[in-house]
Amino acid sequence: MAANILIVEDEESILELIAINLHQAGFNPIRSLNAEFAEKIIREALPDLIVLDWMLPGMDGVEFAKRVRGNSATKNIPIIMLTAKSEEDNKLKGLNTGADDYMTKPFSPKELIARIKAILRRNAPELGDEPINMAGLTLDPVKHLLKEDGKIISIGPTEFKLLNFFMRNPDRVFSRNQILDKIWGNKSDIDDRTVDVHIKRLRDILKHTRQHTLIKTVRGLGYRLTID
Ligand code: CA
């Protein structure tokens, strides 16, 4: 599936190590050095999974995880918690942090990638991670690439999620609210206009392809992907 992985880690060398390994595994890593900035990122677009360090300056990982779980928009985002063996192991066991999995530092990046893949498969089997071909466009959710005739089309993460969603549900009309729910998790602080803004951006991207009119406006209802 569209694999935007948010990493929240205050140790830059570890953050970078994880990001590089995620990138090499075909994911799209999004970096944050603290929980406060991570919250801003999530407000912009929901990640598919969060790799979260326990000990962070300011808001710590446990508090951040609670806030993610406490918000209806974000409660289903899987979290892998990173802990340092010494002081954190026992505390974690005694606390219900809502994390889906834990890894103790130092950990093998390969093992982390394997666990991320397992969780994503478990959480979104219906999306699959197979590339999808339609109307000359190829969208690869794992590599996070959009191509036309083998040529890479530049596309932002939210527009990518939108296009992935539409391509897997062709010829169906979706209201702005349904789209909000699917892409942003129906967050109260994001309004319908946000959908219109990103649809416009997606159409601007598609202008660089032969599929100028792939996303149709259905007056009074919403949007639909239709191939002419
Ligand atoms: Ca830390």
Side-chain angles (χ1 to χ4, degrees), residues 9-11 53-56 105:
E9 166 61 76
D10 60 310
E11 283 166 73
D53 187 30
W54 162 285
M55 297 296 274
L56 293 166
K105 294 177 184 175

Side-chain angles (χ1 to χ4, degrees), residues 157-175:
T158 304
E159 290 70 38
F160 188 92
K161 283 181 107 169
L162 263 177
L163 185 58
N164 187 41
F165 172 68
F166 275 114
M167 283 173 78
R168 287 171 201 278
N169 298 278
D171 288 317
R172 281 181 58 188
V173 182
F174 293 95
S175 70

Side-chain angles (χ1 to χ4, degrees), residues 7 27 33 46 63 74 83 85 97 108 112 130 158 198 222:
I7 313 158
F27 295 108
L33 286 164
L46 294 181
E63 179 61 25
T74 57
T83 74
K85 200 169 193 138
T97 60
S108 129
L112 176 63
E130 292 299 308
T158 304
H198 286 281

Side-chain angles (χ1 to χ4, degrees), residues 170-189:
D171 288 317
R172 281 181 58 188
V173 182
F174 293 95
S175 70
R176 290 172 176 80
N177 264 328
Q178 286 173 317
I179 297 168
L180 270 182
D181 190 40
K182 295 289 181 191
I183 309 297
W184 286 270
N186 209 4
K187 296 156 80 176
S188 54
D189 56 342

Side-chain angles (χ1 to χ4, degrees), residues 20-222:
I20 288 167
N21 277 278
L22 283 174
H23 181 73
Q24 284 172 351
F27 295 108
N28 180 36
I30 303 160
R31 300 165 172 82
S32 180
L33 286 164
N34 58 63
E36 289 78 6
F37 184 61
E39 287 203 317
K40 278 189 197 159
I41 291 170
I42 290 180
R43 249 176 263 135
E44 186 69 22
L46 294 181
D48 297 293
L49 184 145
I50 303 169
V51 177
L52 177 62
D53 187 30
W54 162 285
M55 297 296 274
L56 293 166
M59 190 196 309
D60 70 19
V62 172
E63 179 61 25
F64 179 71
K66 278 186 190 156
R67 290 172 67 128
V68 169
R69 286 289 170 264
N71 181 328
S72 64
T74 57
K75 65 174 194 280
N76 294 322
I77 302 175
I79 297 173
I80 297 180
M81 189 82 89
L82 304 178
T83 74
K85 200 169 193 138
S86 52
E87 72 274 324
E88 296 164 0
D89 237 21
N90 292 328
K91 279 198 280 182
L92 266 177
K93 282 175 190 152
L95 275 170
N96 181 10
T97 60
D100 295 80
D101 203 351
Y102 304 94
M103 295 208 74
T104 304
K105 294 177 184 175
F107 54 86
S108 129
K110 268 188 186 152
E111 175 67 18
L112 176 63
I113 302 284
R115 295 210 196 172
I116 288 172
K117 284 182 175 169
I119 289 176
L120 289 179
R121 264 198 303 274
R122 203 162 72 214
N123 275 267
E126 79 282 4
L127 282 179
D129 50 13
E130 292 299 308
I132 182 166
N133 293 295
M134 188 177 285
L137 297 174
T138 303
L139 185 140
D140 185 332
V142 172
K143 291 183 181 159
H144 212 271
L145 282 179
L146 174 66
K147 290 184 180 178
E148 184 180 52
D149 304 330
K151 179 176 151 250
I152 293 174
I153 312 289
S154 175
I155 185 167
T158 304
E159 290 70 38
F160 188 92
K161 283 181 107 169
L162 263 177
L163 185 58
N164 187 41
F165 172 68
F166 275 114
M167 283 173 78
R168 287 171 201 278
N169 298 278
D171 288 317
R172 281 181 58 188
V173 182
F174 293 95
S175 70
R176 290 172 176 80
N177 264 328
Q178 286 173 317
I179 297 168
L180 270 182
D181 190 40
K182 295 289 181 191
I183 309 297
W184 286 270
N186 209 4
K187 296 156 80 176
S188 54
D189 56 342
I190 291 181
D191 65 23
D192 292 6
R193 261 183 43 77
T194 306
V195 175
D196 297 335
V197 167
H198 286 281
I199 291 279
K200 184 183 179 305
R201 285 189 198 164
L202 176 56
R203 284 172 169 163
D204 287 344
I205 289 161
L206 293 173
K207 276 181 192 160
H208 299 288
T209 74
R210 292 190 302 276
Q211 299 303 326
H212 303 207
T213 59
L214 199 59
I215 309 294
K216 307 274 195 292
T217 302
V218 183
R219 200 167 290 279
L221 288 175

